[in-house]
């Protein structure tokens, strides 16, 4: 019982901390690089509701309600709304989406985008919009 209840979990936790440190700690995202304020986890959906951010999938479309990813089509369909709210051109937003596409396998997998990663890229690439205009003060 001591082996299964104490030793094994400690050994697994130790290996996880050494080999997969970020994943073992929840894959936390920082607002401005490594020293920025923690704003969420790449592994769990965040509740983005403002019109100037990309939104996660509707909870009813996700089995668990915590899916952090959206399809490419979903991301592209949100571009007109974000462009209207921020005055960032639709072409610039399309380029940002293209740069943040991930795939389920190395070359041929389904395309998806992590919403938190995409919104952090949005803040980083368009700092004049997201950092200086209240209420869009998302930079530190």
């Amino acid at each position: 019982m001591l082996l299964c209840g104490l030793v094994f979990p400690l050994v697994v936790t130790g290996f996880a901390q050494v080999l997969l440190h970020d994943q073992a700690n929840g894959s936390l995202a920082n607002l401005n690089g490594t020293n920025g304020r923690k704003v969420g986890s790449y592994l769990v959906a965040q509740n983005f509701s403002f019109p100037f951010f990309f939104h996660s999938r509707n909870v009813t479309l996700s089995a668990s309600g915590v899916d952090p990813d959206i399809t490419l089509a979903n991301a592209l369909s949100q571009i007109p709304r974000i462009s209207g709210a921020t005055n960032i051109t639709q072409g610039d937003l399309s380029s940002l989406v293209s740069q943040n596409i991930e795939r389920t396998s190395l070359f041929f997998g389904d395309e998806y985008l992590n919403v938190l990663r995409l919104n952090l890229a949005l803040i980083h690439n368009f700092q004049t919009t997201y950092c200086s205009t209240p209420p869009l003060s998302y930079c530190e």
Side-chain angles (χ1 to χ4, degrees), residues 65-79:
V66 295
D67 186 1
D69 304 319
I70 57 174
T71 64
L72 176 59
N74 187 328
L76 294 174
S77 72
Q78 296 184 50
I79 288 176

Side-chain angles (χ1 to χ4, degrees), residues 4-46:
C4 293
L6 184 63
V7 175
F8 181 73
L10 288 175
V11 169
V12 170
T13 302
F15 277 122
Q17 288 295 323
V18 171
L19 299 175
L20 303 167
H21 185 268
D22 289 337
Q23 293 89 337
N25 290 313
S27 297
L28 298 177
N30 298 313
L31 184 57
N32 291 324
T34 57
N35 295 326
R37 177 174 42 112
K38 300 220 182 312
V39 293
S41 169
Y42 293 116
L43 303 175
V44 179
Q46 310 301 306

Side-chain angles (χ1 to χ4, degrees), residues 21-98:
H21 185 268
D22 289 337
Q23 293 89 337
N25 290 313
S27 297
L28 298 177
N30 298 313
L31 184 57
N32 291 324
T34 57
N35 295 326
R37 177 174 42 112
K38 300 220 182 312
V39 293
S41 169
Y42 293 116
L43 303 175
V44 179
Q46 310 301 306
N47 186 19
F48 292 104
S49 59
F50 292 116
F52 40 83
F53 282 127
F54 286 93
H55 298 168
S56 300
R57 293 193 301 170
N58 183 333
V59 172
T60 60
L61 299 177
S62 173
S64 66
V66 295
D67 186 1
D69 304 319
I70 57 174
T71 64
L72 176 59
N74 187 328
L76 294 174
S77 72
Q78 296 184 50
I79 288 176
R81 172 182 43 79
I82 297 168
S83 178
T86 61
N87 292 324
I88 299 170
T89 68
Q90 291 189 24
D92 287 343
L93 290 169
S94 294
S95 295
L96 182 76
V97 166
S98 297

